[in-house]
Amino acid sequence: MGRSKNDVWVGLFVMLGVAALAFLALQSANLLSLNFQNTYRITANFDNIGGLKPKAAVRSAGVVVGRVADIGFDEERFQAKIAIDMETRYQFPKDSSLKVLTSGLLGDQYIGIEPGAEDENWAAGDNVSRTQSAVVLENLISQFLFNTAASDPGSK
């Protein structure tokens, strides 16, 4: 009787440990977001979003103020169309701008908000027109090499 009781407690402890590890793995991979705040959805178009993924953070001054809800392709403009769920407790002026930024040198990409100064704030369904695309490292390197080759007179 005593041995089976210990086996049950050890089994429960192992199950709790596995559940905690699974929770931490999902949370760190940004696949699980437990957010009980009310949100409103805005959209924005970008020429290039780099490696931005759904559920990526939307930050202002380093504080997470929303999440990327959906990523699609606008076939009329030939741009990426991003849907963003913003927490209602954070209000930004309509002339604020969005940028695709990178955490560190090669880290995850997120959307950064630069607040504007207009009196009216974003509302549900608004489309943000002031956007700045991701800086793609490969494009910078090729541009540098092209400019270096073009400015070298001895290369002809």
Side-chain angles (χ1 to χ4, degrees), residues 1-78:
M1 179 74 178
R3 181 166 156 70
S4 66
K5 194 175 192 180
N6 285 340
D7 288 345
V8 168
W9 283 110
V10 168
L12 284 174
F13 183 73
V14 168
M15 297 266 294
L16 281 173
V18 168
L21 284 174
F23 175 79
L24 286 174
L26 290 173
Q27 192 75 1
S28 67
N30 213 9
L31 298 173
L32 176 70
S33 60
L34 297 175
N35 187 3
F36 302 108
Q37 299 290 330
N38 291 331
T39 61
Y40 61 97
R41 184 165 289 189
I42 60 172
T43 58
N45 289 3
F46 290 88
D47 289 329
N48 189 342
I49 59 168
L52 189 71
K53 295 181 173 97
K55 297 195 180 181
V58 177
R59 295 183 181 153
S60 181
V63 178
V64 176
V65 296
R67 293 267 173 201
V68 174
D70 189 35
I71 297 175
F73 186 72
D74 187 345
E75 295 178 12
E76 294 176 9
R77 296 182 183 182
F78 299 104

Side-chain angles (χ1 to χ4, degrees), residues 126-139:
D126 281 353
N127 187 12
V128 180
S129 59
R130 296 176 184 208
T131 61
Q132 182 178 337
S133 295
V135 175
V136 181
L137 190 58
E138 292 86 2
N139 292 348

